[in-house]
Structure formats: C-alpha cells, structure tokens
C-alpha cells in the first residue's frame, strides 16, 4: 500500500503565546492578591518609526492583559544620548521597574550599544546587554533574547526536538541568528542539534537548506525559501517578517514549503506573538527574583 503523507503540523504561535500569557497572568494575579506589588516593565521608544510604534503598542497591550504595569516613555526623535541615558539610569534605580525595554532601531544620533550597556543586566529583559549575551554563550543563567527564546519554547511545546539532527539557521543577526544557533547547540533535551549558520556569503544556500532537518529562516526576504530548498519532512521555523503590498510575509513561501515540510510556523501568527510572550515571561521572572529577595 502506498504510504500516505503525514498531515503537516501548523505551529500555532498565537495560541501558544496566549497560553503562556494566561500562565503568567495567573502567577501575577495570585501574588498580587497575596499583597505583592505587580511586575513593572519600562518601555522606551525614541522617535516615530511606524513598525516600532506597532511593536510597542502590542507589548503594552500584552502587559495590560497579564497584570504587568507598563511604564511607557515616548521620547522625541531628536532626544539626546545624555537624556536617554539619564532615563535609563532612573529606570535602573526604580524599585517598581523589573524590566527595561529599549525599542530598536534608535534614531541615528543615538548609539545603540552605549544605551544597551547602560541598562542594568538584572533588568535587561530583552537579553541584549553584553553581560547577558556572554552568559548565553557560556551557558550561565541570564535573560535570553525573546525571539530565539520564543522559537525554543515552540519546539518544546510542540515536542519537536532537534536533538542529534541537523539544524540550519539562515541569518546571523545579533538579535536572532547568532543567539538561536547557540541555543540550538546547547546540551538541552530540546536542543543538542548540529548547527550550521548560513548568511549572504554562503556558497550554496539551497544545498545547505536541503540538508536541514530543522530549518530556521531569519533574513527578512519575503518568500525566498521554497519546497525545492527543503528536505522532505523538515521542520521550518520562519522568523522573517516583512511588510509587502500583499500583507505581512515570512521568509518562506508558505504554500510551497507546506508541500514538503512536516511542520511549519505561519507568518503572521507563528514566531511573532511568541517574542512578546517571552518578553513578559522574562519580566515576570525578574519580578519574582526581586520580590522574593525583599
Ligand atoms: N526591534 C525589533 N525587534 C525588537 C526586539 O525584540 N526588542 C527591541 N528592544 N527592539 C526590537
């Protein structure tokens, strides 16, 4: 009898993120009913980048739904580096702020590395401070960057383990590609992969992708990955998100890869919602550490 192709798993990041937010909201509400202060997240947005404004609004909305107090600081695009650093210092010092998020990109007169370095690593819920990046790279506890952490959470919650398998990460950004490759190669049950990082100078990208049991796409080129670049039965995690005249699109051509993949994340509704959920998870973790220290 010809064997039937297994149904493809649609990895629903929206639903998974909602479950996570409900779990966080339950934890927060129990502690607050018990007399604890709620968690606090300072969200700093400098300038009027339209995409950043949407991200920040979504983060504030998710905070509200989980019982986290969001302190929004909307600064003019011409804000000076000194004024921004003064605000970050004030947030570092505030006992009711457990997490600080500095939305990127920053206006051109501001140096992102200097500003990120000013954030207290113990409140760096984005996981961008060099101390947390260093901790990640040598396997010490610290805050993990939210998008790669969200990807790892999806693998775990869908019981898709890359252990012993070949994982290919396309994209080498500091925010996604590099930290994701490190997390995938960690000695954890839902990691332990053999990882290849591909980038713009990779000689034969299609051949690298075809070798992958788990393919992670994070370059922001809408629809570039198609079925001919895929191994039959591969897991495709699409981290790319681009605004196109046809709406938000991922790096995978969803229709095409769905013919061959065992599991795929859609765009929108895949990795995106998980990023916000992991930000709030980091904030709640920071809050718990702070309220239990007192
Ligand atoms: N800009 C785009 N993605 C992110 C993110 O995850 N965190 C911050 N701070 N800025 C971003």
């Amino acid at each position: 009898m010809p064997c039937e192709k297994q149904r493809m798993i649609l990895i629903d990041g929206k639903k998974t993120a909602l479950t996570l937010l409900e779990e966080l909201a339950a934890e927060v509400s129990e502690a607050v009913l018990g007399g604890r202060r709620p968690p606090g997240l300072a969200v700093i947005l400098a300038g009027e980048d339209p995409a950043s404004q949407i991200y920040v609004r979504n983060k504030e909305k998710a905070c509200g739904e989980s019982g986290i107090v969001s302190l929004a600081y909307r600064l003019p695009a011409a804000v000076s580096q000194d004024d921004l650093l003064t605000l970050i210092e004030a947030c570092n010092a505030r006992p009711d702020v457990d997490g600080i998020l500095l939305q990127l990109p920053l206006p051109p007169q501001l140096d992102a590395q200097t500003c990120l370095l000013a954030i207290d690593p113990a409140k760096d819920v984005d996981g961008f401070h060099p101390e947390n990046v260093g901790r990640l790279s040598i396997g010490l506890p610290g805050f993990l960057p939210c998008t790669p952490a969200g990807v790892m959470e999806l693998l775990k919650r869908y019981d898709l383990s890359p252990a012993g398998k070949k994982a290919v990460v396309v994209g080498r950004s500091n925010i996604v590609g590099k930290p994701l490759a490190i997390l995938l190669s960690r000695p954890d049950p839902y990691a332990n992969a053999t990882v290849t990082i591909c980038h713009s100078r990779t000689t034969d990208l299609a051949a690298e992708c075809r070798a992958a049991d788990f393919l992670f796409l994070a370059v922001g080129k809408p629809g570039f990955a198609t079925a001919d670049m895929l191994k039959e039965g591969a897991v495709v995690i699409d981290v790319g998100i681009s605004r196109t005249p046809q709406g938000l699109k991922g790096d995978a051509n969803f229709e095409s890869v769905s013919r061959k993949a065992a599991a795929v994340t859609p765009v929108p509704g895949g990795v995106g919602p998980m990023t916000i959920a992991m930000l709030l998870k980091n904030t709640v973790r920071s809050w718990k550490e702070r309220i239990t220290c007192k």
Side-chain angles (χ1 to χ4, degrees), residues 268-288:
V271 175
M274 291 301 289
T275 299
I276 295 184
M278 298 314 282
L279 171 75
L280 302 199
K281 192 174 177 195
N282 280 347
T283 305
V284 168
R285 189 183 120 201
S286 174
W287 165 73
K288 282 199 288 196

Side-chain angles (χ1 to χ4, degrees), residues 52 55 59 101-105 126 128 146-147 175 275:
S52 292
Y55 286 138
K59 286 167 189 173
L101 179 134
L102 176 63
Q103 187 65 34
L104 302 178
D126 242 342
F128 291 171
C146 304
T147 301
I175 294 182
T275 299

Side-chain angles (χ1 to χ4, degrees), residues 136-137 144-153 155 162 176-188 190-193 195:
L136 162 67
S137 73
L144 299 180
C146 304
T147 301
V151 169
M152 299 310 286
E153 189 75 22
L155 294 182
V176 182
K178 272 191 264 181
L180 181 57
I182 295 172
L183 287 172
L184 286 164
S185 61
R186 273 184 168 187
D188 292 337
Y190 284 88
N192 269 322
V195 184

Side-chain angles (χ1 to χ4, degrees), residues 74-226:
R74 288 183 164 76
L75 308 175
V79 65
S80 70
Q81 176 115 333
D82 280 352
D83 285 353
L84 179 52
L85 291 175
T86 303
L87 173 62
I88 292 172
E89 283 307 330
C91 293
N92 285 342
R94 275 179 73 147
D96 57 340
V97 168
D98 302 291
I100 302 171
L101 179 134
L102 176 63
Q103 187 65 34
L104 302 178
L106 294 176
Q109 77 279 13
L110 303 172
D111 180 55
Q113 280 312 323
T114 306
C115 297
L116 292 173
L117 204 55
I119 295 174
D120 178 352
K123 294 188 177 187
D124 170 39
V125 288
D126 242 342
F128 291 171
H129 189 286
E131 178 174 325
N132 284 316
V133 176
R135 285 176 169 274
L136 162 67
S137 73
I138 58 171
L140 288 176
F143 289 116
L144 299 180
C146 304
T147 301
V151 169
M152 299 310 286
E153 189 75 22
L154 279 178
L155 294 182
K156 197 156 127 198
R157 293 200 180 218
Y158 275 82
D159 192 23
L160 296 164
S161 175
K165 305 270 173 62
K166 187 159 170 51
V168 171
V169 178
V170 187
R172 56 180 162 184
S173 71
N174 289 337
I175 294 182
V176 182
K178 272 191 264 181
L180 181 57
I182 295 172
L183 287 172
L184 286 164
S185 61
R186 273 184 168 187
D188 292 337
Y190 284 88
N192 269 322
T194 302
V195 184
T196 302
I197 304 182
C198 295
H199 45 75
S200 53
R201 299 295 175 95
T202 296
T203 308
D204 189 346
L205 180 61
E208 297 290 348
C209 291
R210 270 194 297 273
D213 302 301
F214 283 70
L215 180 61
F216 301 85
L217 303 164
V219 284
K221 277 194 188 166
F224 92 87
T226 45

